[in-house]
Amino acid sequence: MAIEASVSSAGQPQVPGPAQRDYYYWFRSFVAGGVAGCCAKTTIAPLDRVKILLQAHNPHYKHLGVVATLRAVPKKEGFLGLYKGNGAMMVRIFPYGAIQFMAFDNYKKLLSTQLGISGHIHRLMAGSMAGMTAVICTYPLDVVRARLAFQVTGDHRYTGIGNAFQTIYLKEGGISGFYRGLTPTIIGMAPYAGFSFFTFGTLKSLGLAHFPELLGKPSLDNPDVLVLKTHVNLLCGGIAGAIAQTISYPLDVARRRMQLGAVLPDSDKCLSLTKTLKHVYSQYGIKKGLYRGLSLNYIRCVPSQAVAFTTYEFMKQILHLN
């Protein structure tokens, strides 16, 4: 990690102590992760909204496919309809991305230095732990964002972020109303984040180890350190996202249906993870139920993860985190 020395009143450089370096590292890791998350989610916001509409079988669009829904939403709700709920998403995703990436870096250090766990396995463990940490810290914002994205113009239950928070709190059991679907989210996030960070980190280390001249370039903040070229970063991030999504997608479907709660007519059958998975499977099957919208998820998760990892790697160089 590169740290700029400060200058005392006597003109002598002062190197920050361990506590200052830790704070500096945590703060810049937090900022880099937040920026990466926002860039990634803004890139795929329209696809994200269509995914929610399809996963929960919104009555206005349930008869349509992915492409048809992408065309129908602007016609029915205007172009900005594709970004409905994105304001709440940005409020959530900055702290989510910041906490996830910051936690990953620190969990990885902890596992290596305190527990002696290293190699590829510590990426998998650190990624899983980081994903679960970020989910728990930002889950209420994700619930509100899902509710707003599920609404259709002319058929609104909530008028905005503040009203959604107030309504859920008053009508759905107080604080517990914001944590519907938390269990499948955490269970689903463990393999998703774990395999995402594991795949990206492994591809990155293998690429730089075996093909440094072809895949690598000097880091902006330290020419002696090699980092992946931008297009290679994007490719590795996309592959990581695709693998992680395939493994965890049914749990994501269950999570969304539980989050939407009273908004859905069959909410009484989606009160727990097991009941929700059984209901979706018995009612819609595997392809049209547990994996409904997966094709869209591949389209959205590949650029999302690609942009997230690439932005984070770039921000680390700009903020001297390497």
Side-chain angles (χ1 to χ4, degrees):
M1 177 178 65
I3 302 284
E4 294 180 1
S6 59
V7 180
S8 68
S9 57
Q12 297 297 321
Q14 292 180 324
V15 179
Q20 287 177 300
R21 287 197 298 269
D22 286 344
Y23 174 78
Y24 183 91
Y25 181 87
W26 278 61
F27 174 74
R28 293 198 171 189
S29 182
F30 186 89
V31 172
V35 172
C38 288
C39 289
K41 285 299 182 181
T42 299
T43 301
I44 50 91
L47 296 173
D48 219 23
R49 185 175 182 223
V50 170
K51 186 193 79 164
I52 292 176
L53 293 171
L54 293 180
Q55 277 186 334
H57 296 81
N58 185 286
H60 295 272
Y61 302 105
K62 65 180 181 180
H63 59 288
L64 301 176
V66 173
V67 176
T69 304
L70 280 170
R71 292 174 178 170
V73 170
K75 291 179 181 178
K76 184 176 181 62
E77 306 178 59
F79 177 76
L80 292 180
L82 292 171
Y83 289 87
K84 185 167 288 184
N86 197 50
M89 169 61 83
M90 291 299 100
V91 172
R92 167 189 172 261
I93 205 60
F94 186 91
Y96 179 88
I99 292 170
Q100 184 180 43
F101 278 101
M102 180 181 69
F104 173 72
D105 285 338
N106 285 280
Y107 280 140
K108 194 168 61 169
K109 278 186 178 180
L110 177 67
L111 290 170
S112 177
T113 60
Q114 301 298 319
L115 301 179
I117 300 174
S118 58
H120 298 310
I121 189 65
H122 83 309
R123 291 196 191 100
L124 181 63
M125 294 176 65
S128 297
M129 293 163 65
M132 291 188 288
T133 300
V135 163
I136 292 170
C137 291
T138 63
Y139 195 74
L141 290 168
D142 192 30
V143 171
V144 169
R145 175 254 172 183
R147 298 288 183 95
L148 294 176
F150 187 71
Q151 295 185 137
V152 175
T153 300
D155 187 20
H156 279 195
R157 179 183 291 257
Y158 313 108
T159 58
I161 297 174
N163 178 253
F165 269 107
Q166 183 181 34
T167 303
I168 294 171
Y169 181 81
L170 294 176
K171 295 184 178 181
E172 298 187 35
I175 298 297
S176 62
F178 293 105
Y179 285 90
R180 285 177 62 99
L182 179 62
T183 299
T185 302
I186 291 178
I187 294 173
M189 182 51 65
Y192 175 75
F195 279 100
S196 184
F197 279 104
F198 168 78
T199 304
F200 179 80
T202 301
L203 291 175
K204 176 184 174 182
S205 62
L206 291 176
L208 291 177
H210 295 286
F211 307 101
E213 295 183 359
L214 179 63
L215 305 180
K217 65 178 181 179
S219 173
L220 293 176
D221 66 310
N222 187 352
D224 295 328
V225 174
L226 280 183
V227 297
L228 291 177
K229 294 178 180 178
T230 302
H231 68 280
V232 180
N233 244 327
L234 289 167
L235 178 61
C236 291
I239 293 173
I243 292 174
Q245 282 292 334
T246 302
I247 294 171
S248 63
Y249 193 76
L251 293 168
D252 189 40
V253 171
R255 170 176 70 104
R256 286 299 183 200
R257 294 187 73 87
M258 291 179 72
Q259 281 183 337
L260 292 169
V263 174
L264 298 177
D266 55 358
S267 61
D268 60 314
K269 298 177 182 177
C270 300
L271 299 177
S272 70
L273 172 59
T274 303
K275 288 182 178 179
T276 303
L277 289 172
K278 285 183 178 178
H279 171 65
V280 174
Y281 174 72
S282 61
Q283 191 74 18
Y284 305 104
I286 296 178
K287 183 178 179 181
K288 294 185 178 180
L290 295 177
Y291 280 91
R292 179 173 172 81
L294 180 60
S295 59
L296 171 63
N297 229 39
Y298 282 135
I299 296 172
R300 62 178 285 280
C301 78
V302 170
S304 175
Q305 289 299 91
V307 170
F309 280 116
T310 302
T311 303
Y312 185 68
E313 292 293 309
F314 175 73
M315 290 299 295
K316 282 203 302 183
Q317 296 174 60
I318 295 297
L319 298 174
H320 308 294
L321 286 177
N322 282 325

